[in-house]
Amino acid sequence: MRYTTQLGAGLGLVDETKTLLDLWTPGMSPSRLHQAALESGDFPTVSARRLRNIIVESFAPRYLVSDGAPARHLKTLSRVLPTADLSQLMLIFTSRANPILGDFIRQVYWVRYGAGDTSLTNEDARAFVERAIDDGKMLKRWSEKTVSRVSGYLTGCCADYGLLEPGAKRSRRILPFRIAAPVAAYLAYDLHLAGIGDNTLLSHADWALFGLGREDVLAELKRLSLQGLLIVQAAGDVIRISWTHPTQEALCDVLTQG
């Protein structure tokens, strides 16, 4: 998938997303959500045009795909999950909508994390973007200004989602980052219900957003099995998972009950 500059329409937008989830109802289009957001008074410092960009270019591509399933699920979970856990779910959907972010986290953030580095800079992000241009990841070559802007978007978004320290900085401290149990459960079911087989599921790229390889994912699933969220049987390289909840909605209901 080609890289775009769409991340610039809104980085993590954690608080804005939570507010929009409160306003959104199943079946609501982006234009109706925009009108509801304007009338709510919840965005007093945001212009109507900026608010529309946030909804149409950020919120909708991330959460209103698949008939709004991500928005439905996050709306349910936002009532009980702490913001840190909710933002991890947002990271998954944002990375799917913006492959440049997911690849940056997998290919740069976790490599630096694993090497024991303590910080990540906009220059690191810039080097990643420039390599992507050389590799033909963009539809056309980006200008120097665009490269610089997108480099800042990448580190800024990582800060919004808790991978890097917050603040307007060109160099940010790398923060400890571990997948939360409800997020691991949600992602496992999400991949399973998308038709991905049990063995393939363990190596899916979404887990690598959290620095997890196949054996790490298996360990996470075994922890979930102790909570009764699924049952894992492992024999050598063959993994069999019994899924105790028939739908993602059923899982979300269980997660909201703690």
Side-chain angles (χ1 to χ4, degrees):
M1 189 177 290
R2 300 278 188 176
Y3 291 169
T4 72
T5 61
Q6 191 175 51
L7 197 61
L11 304 185
L13 296 172
V14 175
D15 291 337
E16 293 89 343
T17 297
K18 290 171 66 176
T19 302
L20 290 170
L21 288 170
D22 286 340
L23 295 170
W24 180 83
T25 57
M28 183 180 282
S29 67
S31 60
R32 284 176 56 203
L33 177 58
H34 180 227
Q35 190 60 39
L38 287 173
E39 295 171 354
S40 71
D42 290 334
F43 298 90
T45 62
V46 181
S47 70
R49 180 177 180 180
R50 170 65 179 147
L51 186 57
R52 181 187 181 282
N53 285 344
I54 288 174
I55 292 170
V56 173
E57 297 184 31
S58 295
F59 186 88
R62 299 175 189 182
Y63 310 113
L64 298 187
V65 294
S66 304
D67 294 323
R72 288 200 311 274
H73 301 154
L74 266 63
K75 186 179 179 74
T76 297
L77 295 172
S78 66
R79 302 185 186 115
V80 294
L81 288 188
T83 298
D85 291 8
L86 199 65
S87 70
Q88 290 190 2
L89 291 171
M90 294 179 191
L91 168 63
I92 294 170
F93 292 114
T94 302
S95 296
R96 290 177 179 177
N98 300 272
I100 189 172
L101 174 65
D103 286 350
F104 174 70
I105 292 171
R106 286 182 283 258
Q107 298 172 22
V108 179
Y109 175 87
W110 284 110
V111 170
R112 297 291 295 272
Y113 190 106
D117 292 335
T118 58
S119 64
L120 199 60
T121 69
N122 284 7
E123 286 305 310
D124 296 322
R126 184 185 185 91
F128 165 79
V129 173
E130 290 174 341
R131 283 196 304 272
I133 292 173
D134 291 340
D135 291 342
K137 294 280 191 177
M138 290 70 165
L139 196 59
K140 61 180 181 180
R141 291 194 72 86
W142 289 352
S143 69
E144 283 295 310
K145 183 177 180 181
T146 299
V147 170
S148 180
R149 289 203 329 266
V150 173
S151 301
Y153 299 158
L154 291 171
T155 56
C157 203
C158 286
D160 286 348
Y161 289 139
L163 292 90
L164 298 172
E165 69 173 320
K169 302 178 180 181
R170 296 191 62 82
S171 178
R172 300 174 189 267
R173 185 164 45 89
I174 294 174
L175 301 180
F177 192 72
R178 178 181 173 82
I179 194 169
V183 177
Y186 183 95
L187 179 54
Y189 270 85
D190 186 65
L191 297 175
H192 163 66
L193 293 168
I196 296 175
D198 293 349
N199 277 284
T200 305
L201 182 150
L202 270 67
S203 302
H204 194 276
D206 282 350
W207 296 109
L209 294 171
F210 301 92
L212 303 178
R214 180 183 174 85
E215 293 304 314
D216 304 313
V217 176
L218 180 57
E220 289 292 337
L221 297 185
K222 287 180 177 179
R223 278 189 279 272
L224 295 176
S225 71
L226 297 176
Q227 302 176 38
L229 294 173
L230 44 78
I231 301 170
V232 180
Q233 295 173 298
D237 291 334
V238 179
I239 307 298
R240 180 171 296 175
I241 305 172
S242 297
W243 303 90
T244 54
H245 303 291
T247 65
Q248 194 68 290
E249 286 74 17
L251 173 70
C252 288
D253 286 342
V254 170
L255 293 177
T256 59
Q257 296 164 20

